[in-house]
Amino acid sequence: MKCWQLIGLGLLLLLLPLSLGAQETPDDEVDLDIQEYLFGHVGDAYEWHITTVNGHPVSIPLPVIVRSRTTGWHCFSSRHLEEGSYEGFFISTSEKYDGKIVERDASGAEVRPLDLSITKNVLGLMVNSLVLVLLILLAARWYRRHDAVEEAPKGFAGLVEMLVTMVEDDIIKECVGKDYKRYSPYLLTAFFFIFINNLMGIVPIFPGGANVTGNIAVTLVLAVCTFLAVNLFGNKHYWKDILWPDVPTWLKVPVPLMPVIEIIGMFTKPFSLMVRLFANILAGHCMILGVIAVIFLTANMSVGLNAGMGVVAILLGVFMDLLELLVAFIQAYVFTMLSAVFIGMSRQEPETE
Amino acid sequence: MSLITPDFGLLVWMTLIFGIVFFVLAKWGFPMITGMVDQRSERINASIAQAREAEKQFAEMADRQTALIEETRREQARILKEAADARDKLVADAKEQAREEASKLIQQARTQIAAEKESALRDVRAEVANLSVEVAEKVLREKLSTEDAQLKLIDKLVGEINVPKPN
């Protein structure tokens, strides 16, 4: 068992630089464009690039779904975009819409159609969500088939139960307070959603590797959900604290200084959630990519230097990967905990003397 | 920078996907697990309380048992003592009774002996009286065989009758 784990780890280590390396060095003499290399990995794309063999990219084409203002809905494979323009749509190279699908309006200027394409991140989201739902429902099925009052689950269901009870007991019960049961499904979903997406992001090969939780649109939706959970069910005391806080009156009238600050605070809290998750995961991906890039940056130098740097880069890469495993968990934990804390604050009862 | 501008398409998809995931997990996933875990922990708490109760009862029972044994031992000692007392008393009573019986028997025997003796004495006395009467008769017959002796005696007797004895 131990032996197989070691071999697996070794293979993973081998694959990690190889899969990245293959696509960046189609030719010995091509200089590595670090910016494209980085953004190509952490950004979104209309196709899922896996590797490049002999200068030919190997990628999974994904459906492009766009709605033009003039010509209506279009749905086609992203393979057509490789050759350039298709049905009037092409991938922009301009400063403003770099890498996005655009079309030309009557005046010839680039405009964005309504773009609902299944991009790399959307497919990543779908795959990860499917994995998540299957994992949790599989664990839940155990409870349906057993009398959980009489026995405790072992194996996989036990692992899920451990995580669920950890989040429920350590975060939700502690931070939300008495009616935690109402929020626990959302907070648990958020935790496992972020956790699974973070983990899948670390896996370097398809279907992992999409930078889902390092994308601001994804974290924005999560933050909005927390914002709604906090503000839709906030109690009277919470709104009074925002609109008429317990501060000297001159801070409230005639200039409503404190209420304005409090209202800004309503938005900065979820904003910080959004940015924290986004920036942490993005930075993690960039760090790993940067460390691996060292191998290709030194590829044109002497063999000894390249080999030496390669060893260093792999060791550092393993370290960064392990660190990212930790970060994947910590960020899911932090997001859930802060959401729970904000919800708890909106449910706080006034202190009675 | 496309990195920090949220893409509309992704926003829509994310909202949709997260919404579905949330719906599915909130309906069939997490409440199942947390509910069962809660039930189990309730059950465990109840079982612990029960066990504590049982332990208490057991301790009480043990106390009661000890007390019972103690009491039984005392009772046993008491009963043994009573039995010994009763036996002693019985023996004493029996002895007393026997003594009384014996003394009664002795008394009876004594009275009987006395009566026997009396009757024997009476018989002897009667025999002696008869003998003496016979002897006297024989003597008298011998003595009064002559006429003179008879007359002499009659005279003497008559003389005695004439002189009445004072009361």
Side-chain angles (χ1 to χ4, degrees), chain B residues 12-153:
Chain B
V12 172
W13 282 111
M14 170 63 190
T15 312
L16 189 71
I17 291 170
F18 188 71
I20 292 170
V21 168
F22 174 55
F23 177 77
V24 171
L25 293 188
K27 197 160 170 61
W28 295 292
F30 294 122
M32 192 83 199
I33 298 175
T34 52
M36 282 297 191
V37 169
D38 282 355
Q39 273 181 28
R40 193 191 309 141
S41 64
E42 261 168 41
R43 165 72 179 257
I44 289 170
N45 285 342
S47 300
I48 289 173
Q50 248 173 18
R52 197 166 293 150
E53 189 66 26
E55 208 176 314
K56 220 170 76 184
Q57 274 179 359
F58 182 75
E60 264 172 30
M61 230 145 72
D63 280 357
R64 218 179 305 151
Q65 199 183 14
T66 321
L68 209 68
I69 288 172
E70 194 67 26
E71 202 185 327
T72 315
R73 203 160 284 158
R74 267 206 304 275
E75 190 79 357
Q76 184 193 25
R78 193 178 61 77
I79 288 169
L80 281 178
K81 194 166 162 290
E82 262 176 22
D85 284 358
R87 187 196 57 201
D88 288 355
K89 194 164 167 284
L90 208 67
V91 170
D93 281 2
K95 268 184 189 161
E96 186 67 24
Q97 212 174 348
R99 200 176 294 134
E100 268 171 26
E101 199 75 13
S103 68
K104 219 196 286 176
L105 277 176
I106 290 167
Q107 196 65 36
Q108 250 174 15
R110 219 170 260 160
T111 15
Q112 215 169 338
I113 289 168
E116 297 275 319
K117 200 166 121 190
E118 192 76 9
S119 90
L121 273 178
R122 220 178 6 245
D123 285 354
V124 169
R125 227 175 263 148
E127 199 67 23
V128 169
N130 281 342
L131 274 178
S132 36
V133 168
E134 266 175 47
V135 169
E137 205 179 71
K138 276 182 183 145
V139 169
L140 275 178
R141 214 174 277 153
E142 200 61 41
K143 249 180 178 180
L144 294 179
S145 53
T146 63
E147 213 70 25
D148 279 349
Q150 284 172 359
L151 286 174
K152 213 192 238 174
L153 183 64

Side-chain angles (χ1 to χ4, degrees), chain A residues 96 100 215-217 220 278, chain B residues 1-8:
Chain A
K96 197 175 171 193
K100 302 281 182 201
N215 189 294
I216 197 133
L220 174 66
F278 158 73
Chain B
M1 285 288 284
S2 65
L3 270 182
I4 53 164
T5 47
D7 186 66
F8 177 75

Side-chain angles (χ1 to χ4, degrees), chain A residues 175-242:
Chain A
C175 300
V176 175
K178 65 176 185 346
D179 46 8
Y180 70 92
K181 276 209 154 62
R182 194 171 167 190
Y183 298 96
S184 109
Y186 165 65
L187 291 169
L188 281 168
T189 308
F191 175 83
F192 281 95
F193 188 85
I194 296 169
F195 189 42
I196 291 290
N197 276 300
N198 286 350
L199 287 181
M200 291 294 276
I202 303 175
V203 178
I205 44 171
F206 182 82
N211 183 24
V212 176
T213 35
N215 189 294
I216 197 133
V218 172
T219 61
L220 174 66
V221 173
L222 289 169
V224 166
C225 287
T226 294
F227 178 81
L228 293 177
V230 169
N231 289 291
L232 286 186
F233 306 110
N235 62 8
K236 213 186 283 173
H237 178 70
Y238 168 71
W239 288 107
K240 186 199 158 273
D241 248 10
I242 287 177

Side-chain angles (χ1 to χ4, degrees), chain A residues 272-285:
Chain A
S272 73
L273 283 182
M274 171 182 84
V275 173
R276 181 180 299 110
L277 181 56
F278 158 73
N280 271 289
I281 304 305
L282 182 68
H285 279 248

Side-chain angles (χ1 to χ4, degrees), chain A residues 259-275:
Chain A
V260 166
I261 291 175
E262 291 283 351
I263 286 169
I264 293 172
M266 275 169 62
F267 294 95
T268 52
K269 281 176 201 157
F271 186 81
S272 73
L273 283 182
M274 171 182 84
V275 173

